[in-house]
PDB file of all heavy atoms in Angstrom:
ATOM      1  N   THR A 105      -8.131  13.734  -7.026  1.00  0.00           N
ATOM      2  CA  THR A 105      -7.311  13.268  -5.916  1.00  0.00           C
ATOM      3  C   THR A 105      -6.088  12.576  -6.490  1.00  0.00           C
ATOM      4  O   THR A 105      -6.183  11.863  -7.488  1.00  0.00           O
ATOM      5  CB  THR A 105      -8.096  12.328  -4.973  1.00  0.00           C
ATOM      6  OG1 THR A 105      -7.261  11.976  -3.878  1.00  0.00           O
ATOM      7  CG2 THR A 105      -8.573  11.089  -5.668  1.00  0.00           C
ATOM      8  N   VAL A 106      -4.947  12.822  -5.910  1.00  0.00           N
ATOM      9  CA  VAL A 106      -3.703  12.252  -6.429  1.00  0.00           C
ATOM     10  C   VAL A 106      -3.534  10.804  -5.971  1.00  0.00           C
ATOM     11  O   VAL A 106      -3.050   9.968  -6.730  1.00  0.00           O
ATOM     12  CB  VAL A 106      -2.497  13.111  -5.968  1.00  0.00           C
ATOM     13  CG1 VAL A 106      -1.190  12.501  -6.455  1.00  0.00           C
ATOM     14  CG2 VAL A 106      -2.634  14.526  -6.480  1.00  0.00           C
ATOM     15  N   VAL A 107      -3.936  10.494  -4.749  1.00  0.00           N
ATOM     16  CA  VAL A 107      -3.736   9.156  -4.196  1.00  0.00           C
ATOM     17  C   VAL A 107      -5.067   8.643  -3.627  1.00  0.00           C
ATOM     18  O   VAL A 107      -5.323   8.758  -2.433  1.00  0.00           O
ATOM     19  CB  VAL A 107      -2.651   9.159  -3.092  1.00  0.00           C
ATOM     20  CG1 VAL A 107      -2.366   7.734  -2.640  1.00  0.00           C
ATOM     21  CG2 VAL A 107      -1.372   9.822  -3.567  1.00  0.00           C
ATOM     22  N   PRO A 108      -5.917   8.048  -4.482  1.00  0.00           N
ATOM     23  CA  PRO A 108      -7.207   7.568  -3.985  1.00  0.00           C
ATOM     24  C   PRO A 108      -7.112   6.294  -3.149  1.00  0.00           C
ATOM     25  O   PRO A 108      -7.982   6.035  -2.330  1.00  0.00           O
ATOM     26  CB  PRO A 108      -8.013   7.336  -5.252  1.00  0.00           C
ATOM     27  CG  PRO A 108      -7.005   7.126  -6.316  1.00  0.00           C
ATOM     28  CD  PRO A 108      -5.790   7.912  -5.920  1.00  0.00           C
ATOM     29  N   GLU A 109      -6.091   5.493  -3.356  1.00  0.00           N
ATOM     30  CA  GLU A 109      -5.930   4.252  -2.595  1.00  0.00           C
ATOM     31  C   GLU A 109      -4.455   4.030  -2.285  1.00  0.00           C
ATOM     32  O   GLU A 109      -3.648   3.874  -3.187  1.00  0.00           O
ATOM     33  CB  GLU A 109      -6.446   3.043  -3.389  1.00  0.00           C
ATOM     34  CG  GLU A 109      -7.940   3.020  -3.584  1.00  0.00           C
ATOM     35  CD  GLU A 109      -8.736   2.880  -2.299  1.00  0.00           C
ATOM     36  OE1 GLU A 109      -8.200   2.381  -1.281  1.00  0.00           O
ATOM     37  OE2 GLU A 109      -9.900   3.282  -2.299  1.00  0.00           O
ATOM     38  N   LEU A 110      -4.121   4.010  -0.996  1.00  0.00           N
ATOM     39  CA  LEU A 110      -2.741   3.743  -0.610  1.00  0.00           C
ATOM     40  C   LEU A 110      -2.447   2.247  -0.622  1.00  0.00           C
ATOM     41  O   LEU A 110      -1.377   1.822  -1.025  1.00  0.00           O
ATOM     42  CB  LEU A 110      -2.457   4.330   0.768  1.00  0.00           C
ATOM     43  CG  LEU A 110      -2.563   5.845   0.857  1.00  0.00           C
ATOM     44  CD1 LEU A 110      -2.379   6.313   2.294  1.00  0.00           C
ATOM     45  CD2 LEU A 110      -1.534   6.491  -0.054  1.00  0.00           C
ATOM     46  N   LEU A 111      -3.403   1.432  -0.180  1.00  0.00           N
ATOM     47  CA  LEU A 111      -3.183  -0.009  -0.170  1.00  0.00           C
ATOM     48  C   LEU A 111      -4.358  -0.778  -0.754  1.00  0.00           C
ATOM     49  O   LEU A 111      -4.189  -1.645  -1.578  1.00  0.00           O
ATOM     50  CB  LEU A 111      -2.881  -0.523   1.243  1.00  0.00           C
ATOM     51  CG  LEU A 111      -2.770  -2.042   1.358  1.00  0.00           C
ATOM     52  CD1 LEU A 111      -1.601  -2.573   0.536  1.00  0.00           C
ATOM     53  CD2 LEU A 111      -2.643  -2.475   2.793  1.00  0.00           C
ATOM     54  N   GLY A 112      -5.560  -0.518  -0.347  1.00  0.00           N
ATOM     55  CA  GLY A 112      -6.695  -1.292  -0.815  1.00  0.00           C
ATOM     56  C   GLY A 112      -6.974  -2.482   0.083  1.00  0.00           C
ATOM     57  O   GLY A 112      -7.087  -3.615  -0.387  1.00  0.00           O
ATOM     58  N   LEU A 113      -7.068  -2.230   1.386  1.00  0.00           N
ATOM     59  CA  LEU A 113      -7.300  -3.293   2.352  1.00  0.00           C
ATOM     60  C   LEU A 113      -8.576  -4.070   2.044  1.00  0.00           C
ATOM     61  O   LEU A 113      -8.618  -5.292   2.211  1.00  0.00           O
ATOM     62  CB  LEU A 113      -7.352  -2.722   3.772  1.00  0.00           C
ATOM     63  CG  LEU A 113      -7.485  -3.719   4.905  1.00  0.00           C
ATOM     64  CD1 LEU A 113      -6.331  -4.710   4.896  1.00  0.00           C
ATOM     65  CD2 LEU A 113      -7.550  -2.990   6.241  1.00  0.00           C
ATOM     66  N   VAL A 114      -9.606  -3.406   1.563  1.00  0.00           N
ATOM     67  CA  VAL A 114     -10.864  -4.087   1.218  1.00  0.00           C
ATOM     68  C   VAL A 114     -10.621  -5.151   0.154  1.00  0.00           C
ATOM     69  O   VAL A 114     -11.153  -6.259   0.235  1.00  0.00           O
ATOM     70  CB  VAL A 114     -11.931  -3.066   0.775  1.00  0.00           C
ATOM     71  CG1 VAL A 114     -13.118  -3.748   0.110  1.00  0.00           C
ATOM     72  CG2 VAL A 114     -12.388  -2.237   1.965  1.00  0.00           C
ATOM     73  N   ALA A 115      -9.821  -4.843  -0.837  1.00  0.00           N
ATOM     74  CA  ALA A 115      -9.510  -5.839  -1.878  1.00  0.00           C
ATOM     75  C   ALA A 115      -8.818  -7.049  -1.257  1.00  0.00           C
ATOM     76  O   ALA A 115      -9.148  -8.199  -1.577  1.00  0.00           O
ATOM     77  CB  ALA A 115      -8.632  -5.218  -2.963  1.00  0.00           C
ATOM     78  N   LEU A 116      -7.876  -6.809  -0.353  1.00  0.00           N
ATOM     79  CA  LEU A 116      -7.164  -7.910   0.302  1.00  0.00           C
ATOM     80  C   LEU A 116      -8.105  -8.748   1.163  1.00  0.00           C
ATOM     81  O   LEU A 116      -8.038  -9.983   1.148  1.00  0.00           O
ATOM     82  CB  LEU A 116      -6.014  -7.378   1.148  1.00  0.00           C
ATOM     83  CG  LEU A 116      -4.912  -6.615   0.408  1.00  0.00           C
ATOM     84  CD1 LEU A 116      -3.865  -6.109   1.382  1.00  0.00           C
ATOM     85  CD2 LEU A 116      -4.298  -7.455  -0.681  1.00  0.00           C
ATOM     86  N   GLU A 117      -8.990  -8.084   1.903  1.00  0.00           N
ATOM     87  CA  GLU A 117      -9.951  -8.815   2.733  1.00  0.00           C
ATOM     88  C   GLU A 117     -10.859  -9.690   1.881  1.00  0.00           C
ATOM     89  O   GLU A 117     -11.112 -10.854   2.225  1.00  0.00           O
ATOM     90  CB  GLU A 117     -10.807  -7.839   3.544  1.00  0.00           C
ATOM     91  CG  GLU A 117     -10.065  -7.125   4.633  1.00  0.00           C
ATOM     92  CD  GLU A 117     -10.893  -6.058   5.329  1.00  0.00           C
ATOM     93  OE1 GLU A 117     -11.935  -5.634   4.780  1.00  0.00           O
ATOM     94  OE2 GLU A 117     -10.478  -5.640   6.422  1.00  0.00           O
ATOM     95  N   SER A 118     -11.349  -9.141   0.790  1.00  0.00           N
ATOM     96  CA  SER A 118     -12.225  -9.901  -0.099  1.00  0.00           C
ATOM     97  C   SER A 118     -11.500 -11.114  -0.672  1.00  0.00           C
ATOM     98  O   SER A 118     -12.031 -12.235  -0.673  1.00  0.00           O
ATOM     99  CB  SER A 118     -12.719  -9.002  -1.236  1.00  0.00           C
ATOM    100  OG  SER A 118     -13.549  -9.717  -2.118  1.00  0.00           O
ATOM    101  N   MET A 119     -10.291 -10.901  -1.138  1.00  0.00           N
ATOM    102  CA  MET A 119      -9.507 -11.997  -1.703  1.00  0.00           C
ATOM    103  C   MET A 119      -9.224 -13.068  -0.654  1.00  0.00           C
ATOM    104  O   MET A 119      -9.266 -14.264  -0.957  1.00  0.00           O
ATOM    105  CB  MET A 119      -8.211 -11.442  -2.300  1.00  0.00           C
ATOM    106  CG  MET A 119      -8.451 -10.566  -3.529  1.00  0.00           C
ATOM    107  SD  MET A 119      -6.982  -9.619  -4.055  1.00  0.00           S
ATOM    108  CE  MET A 119      -5.905 -10.930  -4.598  1.00  0.00           C
ATOM    109  N   ALA A 120      -8.973 -12.659   0.583  1.00  0.00           N
ATOM    110  CA  ALA A 120      -8.734 -13.618   1.663  1.00  0.00           C
ATOM    111  C   ALA A 120      -9.968 -14.486   1.912  1.00  0.00           C
ATOM    112  O   ALA A 120      -9.847 -15.621   2.358  1.00  0.00           O
ATOM    113  CB  ALA A 120      -8.330 -12.891   2.939  1.00  0.00           C
ATOM    114  N   CYS A 121     -11.137 -13.955   1.587  1.00  0.00           N
ATOM    115  CA  CYS A 121     -12.394 -14.700   1.740  1.00  0.00           C
ATOM    116  C   CYS A 121     -12.755 -15.462   0.469  1.00  0.00           C
ATOM    117  O   CYS A 121     -13.877 -15.950   0.323  1.00  0.00           O
ATOM    118  CB  CYS A 121     -13.519 -13.744   2.116  1.00  0.00           C
ATOM    119  SG  CYS A 121     -13.317 -13.025   3.762  1.00  0.00           S
ATOM    120  N   ALA A 122     -11.817 -15.564  -0.473  1.00  0.00           N
ATOM    121  CA  ALA A 122     -12.000 -16.287  -1.742  1.00  0.00           C
ATOM    122  C   ALA A 122     -13.082 -15.663  -2.611  1.00  0.00           C
ATOM    123  O   ALA A 122     -13.779 -16.360  -3.345  1.00  0.00           O
ATOM    124  CB  ALA A 122     -12.263 -17.769  -1.502  1.00  0.00           C
ATOM    125  N   THR A 123     -13.195 -14.337  -2.540  1.00  0.00           N
ATOM    126  CA  THR A 123     -14.134 -13.606  -3.381  1.00  0.00           C
ATOM    127  C   THR A 123     -13.341 -12.731  -4.347  1.00  0.00           C
ATOM    128  O   THR A 123     -12.519 -11.921  -3.908  1.00  0.00           O
ATOM    129  CB  THR A 123     -15.068 -12.737  -2.517  1.00  0.00           C
ATOM    130  OG1 THR A 123     -15.797 -13.598  -1.635  1.00  0.00           O
ATOM    131  CG2 THR A 123     -16.048 -11.956  -3.370  1.00  0.00           C
ATOM    132  N   PRO A 124     -13.576 -12.902  -5.658  1.00  0.00           N
ATOM    133  CA  PRO A 124     -12.862 -12.074  -6.627  1.00  0.00           C
ATOM    134  C   PRO A 124     -13.157 -10.592  -6.415  1.00  0.00           C
ATOM    135  O   PRO A 124     -14.215 -10.230  -5.896  1.00  0.00           O
ATOM    136  CB  PRO A 124     -13.411 -12.534  -7.977  1.00  0.00           C
ATOM    137  CG  PRO A 124     -14.100 -13.817  -7.725  1.00  0.00           C
ATOM    138  CD  PRO A 124     -14.519 -13.813  -6.296  1.00  0.00           C
ATOM    139  N   VAL A 125     -12.226  -9.757  -6.837  1.00  0.00           N
ATOM    140  CA  VAL A 125     -12.403  -8.314  -6.726  1.00  0.00           C
ATOM    141  C   VAL A 125     -12.340  -7.675  -8.110  1.00  0.00           C
ATOM    142  O   VAL A 125     -11.669  -8.165  -9.013  1.00  0.00           O
ATOM    143  CB  VAL A 125     -11.356  -7.675  -5.791  1.00  0.00           C
ATOM    144  CG1 VAL A 125     -11.581  -8.090  -4.357  1.00  0.00           C
ATOM    145  CG2 VAL A 125      -9.952  -8.003  -6.216  1.00  0.00           C
ATOM    146  N   ILE A 126     -13.049  -6.579  -8.215  1.00  0.00           N
ATOM    147  CA  ILE A 126     -12.991  -5.738  -9.411  1.00  0.00           C
ATOM    148  C   ILE A 126     -12.486  -4.394  -8.917  1.00  0.00           C
ATOM    149  O   ILE A 126     -13.154  -3.735  -8.109  1.00  0.00           O
ATOM    150  CB  ILE A 126     -14.371  -5.602 -10.077  1.00  0.00           C
ATOM    151  CG1 ILE A 126     -14.921  -6.977 -10.463  1.00  0.00           C
ATOM    152  CG2 ILE A 126     -14.283  -4.668 -11.288  1.00  0.00           C
ATOM    153  CD1 ILE A 126     -16.394  -6.977 -10.844  1.00  0.00           C
ATOM    154  N   VAL A 127     -11.286  -4.032  -9.334  1.00  0.00           N
ATOM    155  CA  VAL A 127     -10.670  -2.788  -8.870  1.00  0.00           C
ATOM    156  C   VAL A 127     -10.400  -1.883 -10.061  1.00  0.00           C
ATOM    157  O   VAL A 127     -10.172  -2.347 -11.182  1.00  0.00           O
ATOM    158  CB  VAL A 127      -9.355  -3.049  -8.098  1.00  0.00           C
ATOM    159  CG1 VAL A 127      -9.592  -3.932  -6.884  1.00  0.00           C
ATOM    160  CG2 VAL A 127      -8.280  -3.651  -8.993  1.00  0.00           C
ATOM    161  N   SER A 128     -10.412  -0.586  -9.793  1.00  0.00           N
ATOM    162  CA  SER A 128     -10.018   0.351 -10.845  1.00  0.00           C
ATOM    163  C   SER A 128      -8.497   0.486 -10.843  1.00  0.00           C
ATOM    164  O   SER A 128      -7.835   0.222  -9.839  1.00  0.00           O
ATOM    165  CB  SER A 128     -10.703   1.701 -10.634  1.00  0.00           C
ATOM    166  OG  SER A 128     -10.462   2.186  -9.342  1.00  0.00           O
ATOM    167  N   SER A 129      -7.976   0.885 -11.955  1.00  0.00           N
ATOM    168  CA  SER A 129      -6.519   0.967 -12.116  1.00  0.00           C
ATOM    169  C   SER A 129      -5.995   2.300 -11.580  1.00  0.00           C
ATOM    170  O   SER A 129      -5.478   3.129 -12.321  1.00  0.00           O
ATOM    171  CB  SER A 129      -6.117   0.765 -13.576  1.00  0.00           C
ATOM    172  OG  SER A 129      -6.764   1.729 -14.396  1.00  0.00           O
ATOM    173  N   VAL A 130      -6.141   2.479 -10.273  1.00  0.00           N
ATOM    174  CA  VAL A 130      -5.641   3.681  -9.609  1.00  0.00           C
ATOM    175  C   VAL A 130      -4.809   3.263  -8.394  1.00  0.00           C
ATOM    176  O   VAL A 130      -5.007   2.178  -7.843  1.00  0.00           O
ATOM    177  CB  VAL A 130      -6.788   4.624  -9.167  1.00  0.00           C
ATOM    178  CG1 VAL A 130      -7.632   5.062 -10.341  1.00  0.00           C
ATOM    179  CG2 VAL A 130      -7.648   3.988  -8.101  1.00  0.00           C
ATOM    180  N   GLY A 131      -3.908   4.133  -8.000  1.00  0.00           N
ATOM    181  CA  GLY A 131      -3.100   3.880  -6.815  1.00  0.00           C
ATOM    182  C   GLY A 131      -2.436   2.520  -6.837  1.00  0.00           C
ATOM    183  O   GLY A 131      -1.935   2.057  -7.868  1.00  0.00           O
ATOM    184  N   SER A 132      -2.478   1.844  -5.720  1.00  0.00           N
ATOM    185  CA  SER A 132      -1.830   0.540  -5.583  1.00  0.00           C
ATOM    186  C   SER A 132      -2.710  -0.621  -6.026  1.00  0.00           C
ATOM    187  O   SER A 132      -2.246  -1.766  -6.053  1.00  0.00           O
ATOM    188  CB  SER A 132      -1.439   0.320  -4.118  1.00  0.00           C
ATOM    189  OG  SER A 132      -2.623   0.207  -3.330  1.00  0.00           O
ATOM    190  N   LEU A 133      -3.967  -0.369  -6.342  1.00  0.00           N
ATOM    191  CA  LEU A 133      -4.908  -1.466  -6.612  1.00  0.00           C
ATOM    192  C   LEU A 133      -4.437  -2.451  -7.684  1.00  0.00           C
ATOM    193  O   LEU A 133      -4.558  -3.669  -7.491  1.00  0.00           O
ATOM    194  CB  LEU A 133      -6.291  -0.905  -6.948  1.00  0.00           C
ATOM    195  CG  LEU A 133      -6.975  -0.160  -5.801  1.00  0.00           C
ATOM    196  CD1 LEU A 133      -8.279   0.471  -6.274  1.00  0.00           C
ATOM    197  CD2 LEU A 133      -7.204  -1.071  -4.614  1.00  0.00           C
TER     198      LEU A 133
END
Side-chain angles (χ1 to χ4, degrees):
T105 183
V106 178
V107 186
E109 292 296 337
L110 296 175
L111 174 63
L113 184 58
V114 167
L116 298 178
E117 290 174 343
S118 179
M119 293 168 67
C121 293
T123 300
V125 291
I126 301 167
V127 301
S128 54
S129 57
V130 301
S132 67
L133 295 175

